[in-house]
Amino acid sequence: MVFFCQQCGECCSHMSRIFTVEEDPQDGTYAMHNAYTGEIDHVRVDPEKIGLFKDREIFRSLPEACFFLRRDPENGLFICTVHGTRPELCREFSCWRLLVLTERGERAGRVMGSRHLASEERALSELWESRIRALPLLDDPSWDREVIRILEGYGYKVITDRAP
Ligand code: SF4
């Protein structure tokens, strides 16, 4: 199924917990450090978004938002101001509620909003089938907590799109 981003901003609203950003004043690029993988991506603000990028209003309501996330004042949609050069992690994900990383910080899978797993990692898929898929009906926060507890018990790191 083709994924169409609705620009709700949810997935980028807590990404400062993953990415720290450092500007290179020499050439106007920014280094995005991934706290989990140790990877560094060099990004540049899209030329047509420089004006929007300078507006830091978004951090009043979303203090954990990615350094590059902004809201379009015209229509309220969320915009990545470095879309053209955004990191691989951002290119690959679609809507998720939990991002599952291996012990080494590599992406193992995503738990989507509808509580299903998207993963090509066999061990994680098997764990999902045996321990998680049949969890009893819980409300969303309780379900997330239980899934995180199980995954962390097997050595995975889990990032949530919700505030801690
Ligand atoms: S770089 Fe863009 S896509 Fe990636 S987290 Fe930041 S705003 Fe979202």
Side-chain angles (χ1 to χ4, degrees):
M1 182 168 49
V2 179
F3 170 73
F4 292 101
C5 174
Q6 305 291 306
Q7 291 181 263
C8 70
E10 187 65 42
C11 57
C12 306
S13 294
H14 305 287
M15 289 298 271
S16 67
R17 286 194 261 151
I18 294 183
F19 291 124
T20 55
V21 177
E22 210 176 312
E23 183 177 11
D24 181 345
Q26 303 294 319
D27 64 2
T29 62
Y30 294 83
M32 295 182 74
H33 299 254
N34 184 316
Y36 291 88
T37 65
E39 287 169 343
I40 300 175
D41 290 277
H42 296 275
V43 301
R44 182 182 291 279
V45 176
D46 299 336
E48 71 281 11
K49 297 173 187 159
I50 289 173
L52 185 62
F53 174 69
K54 287 180 180 163
D55 179 355
R56 306 289 161 104
E57 180 66 26
I58 190 171
F59 298 107
R60 283 173 178 266
S61 54
L62 294 172
E64 292 194 332
C66 172
F67 187 73
F68 298 106
L69 185 67
R70 295 293 182 274
R71 196 165 198 168
D72 187 332
E74 301 278 311
N75 54 27
L77 295 177
F78 286 88
I79 289 177
C80 170
T81 55
V82 293
H83 188 77
T85 52
R86 67 196 186 285
E88 194 64 27
L89 179 68
C90 306
R91 290 177 187 276
E92 287 183 350
F93 70 39
S94 51
C95 290
W96 49 266
R97 61 194 293 154
L98 302 173
L99 180 62
V100 187
L101 306 175
T102 66
E103 273 178 339
R104 289 182 310 196
E106 293 153 349
R107 201 182 73 174
R110 291 159 294 151
V111 180
M112 313 307 272
S114 53
R115 296 188 180 185
H116 78 270
L117 175 73
S119 173
E120 289 81 46
E121 201 204 49
R122 190 169 166 189
L124 177 59
S125 300
E126 288 175 358
L127 174 61
W128 186 268
E129 289 301 317
S130 63
R131 296 288 315 276
I132 298 175
R133 207 151 113 84
L135 279 178
L137 282 178
L138 299 166
D139 60 34
D140 277 352
S142 307
W143 188 85
D144 284 357
R145 274 196 299 276
E146 183 60 8
V147 172
I148 291 168
R149 188 188 68 74
I150 294 169
L151 292 172
E152 288 182 342
Y154 282 82
Y156 291 101
K157 295 183 177 119
V158 184
I159 312 293
T160 170
D161 70 345
R162 315 268 184 253

